[in-house]
Amino acid sequence: MTTAEADRSASSQTSGVPPAPRRAPDREAGGDVAVVGSLSPSRAGDFMTCPLLYRFRVIDRIPERPSPAQVRGTLVHAVLEKLFDLPTEARTVQAAVDMLVPQWERLVAEEPELAELFRAAASAGDGDAPADPSAAPSADASGGASGGAAGESEAVWLEQARRMVERYFTLEDPRRLEPAEREVFVETVLESGLRLRGFIDRVDVAPSGDVRIVDYKTGTAPRADFEARALFQMKFYALVLWRLQGRVPRLLQLMYLGNGEILRYAPDEADLRATQRKVEALWQAIRRAMDTGEWRHRPSRLCDWCDHKVRCPEFGGTPPPLPTAPVGRPSPADLESSLREHGDL
């Protein structure tokens, strides 16, 4: 079966297909394997991007202010999730666009500080984001940089979200889909004791049983030389589902709503075994950093969008002292598991 055929197969699924199991029995409770740590694709991406960034987010838990671009991504994801609550024929462009304001109002009601987002951006110039959204690097598995206009108004921000929602309909017809899962939390524990966990935007299951993992990105598609990094997150999810279900997902699909491109990849067992080795090597590197207290900074273009420049040695800053670990303090594994991914975690 070609990738295109697998795509069509996954698109013509039925609602009668049972949803994917979300977690492996016993292992998640630490039954026959002692859990030694926890990792999500976002936090793995953080460490690959910059070990010091991982430390600031997971060990120090230093708060970060959300950018307009990040919140817009949350809004667009919410609309695309709720779209499939509608009856099949009602899943139209206009119906999706009409959800934007109500979903934004819901987000503000749940997190009232978001109401200050545009006033703060207008007064401070939101200097962490480029004036031209297309100038920012595409977000990778770490949920890194994403575009956002400096000091943009709420109306302009909503208009950009509307264009992304409309662009989604140029990539697929939601009236031909009945996802098995949306915003589904999955986790499994490897033989090493490392727990893998994360939230998948969408899981499609064809009548044949073939599984397609779909992730929405509100940035632009990466250049060819960065595709492997973009696919790491998807292979991570595929590894978890493979271990839960015993079947390799047929297709991984990244939908870039920033420029209307789709990145598809058909994994095999060799891919997922290699991904497991990479994830476990990353965890060993994280453990070494925890043991030694050495969290190296790794400069890149993403530094321009980092909230931690003020405390980063690359920019003349000094990281705060590492937190102590008195009795009763959560372990790094517990801290990791407490972070919800959308980043995901």
Side-chain angles (χ1 to χ4, degrees), residues 130-283:
D132 177 7
S134 65
S138 297
D140 58 14
S142 70
S146 51
E152 65 186 348
S153 69
E154 184 175 357
V156 170
W157 181 83
L158 280 169
E159 172 63 18
Q160 292 170 336
R162 181 188 66 79
R163 289 202 298 267
M164 290 177 181
V165 168
E166 292 176 341
R167 193 171 289 125
Y168 162 76
F169 284 82
T170 69
L171 302 177
E172 67 179 7
D173 184 350
R175 294 172 299 183
R176 298 180 56 201
L177 299 169
E178 205 57 59
E181 298 274 12
R182 287 170 280 149
E183 284 293 320
V184 56
F185 175 73
V186 293
E187 65 175 3
T188 190
V189 176
L190 305 178
E191 287 78 4
S192 63
L194 177 61
R195 177 188 283 122
L196 306 183
R197 61 200 304 148
F199 284 83
I200 303 176
D201 287 347
R202 201 177 86 204
V203 177
D204 298 339
V205 182
S208 64
D210 285 342
V211 171
R212 177 174 65 181
I213 300 174
V214 178
D215 195 74
Y216 308 118
K217 298 294 186 186
T218 49
T220 57
R223 301 194 309 266
D225 50 339
F226 285 98
E227 284 185 0
R229 187 176 179 89
L231 284 169
F232 170 76
Q233 174 187 14
M234 303 300 280
K235 291 181 181 180
F236 187 109
Y237 293 143
L239 170 61
V240 175
L241 288 187
W242 177 42
R243 290 181 57 85
L244 292 176
Q245 301 175 332
R247 183 170 184 168
V248 176
R250 182 66 185 87
L251 194 68
L252 312 179
Q253 179 168 298
L254 283 160
M255 305 182 73
Y256 289 92
L257 306 181
N259 61 348
E261 294 186 20
I262 296 180
L263 177 59
R264 297 185 178 93
Y265 185 81
D268 56 26
E269 285 194 17
D271 284 322
L272 302 190
R273 293 186 191 280
T275 299
Q276 179 169 332
R277 290 193 297 271
K278 179 173 183 176
V279 167
E280 291 185 314
L282 276 171
W283 180 249

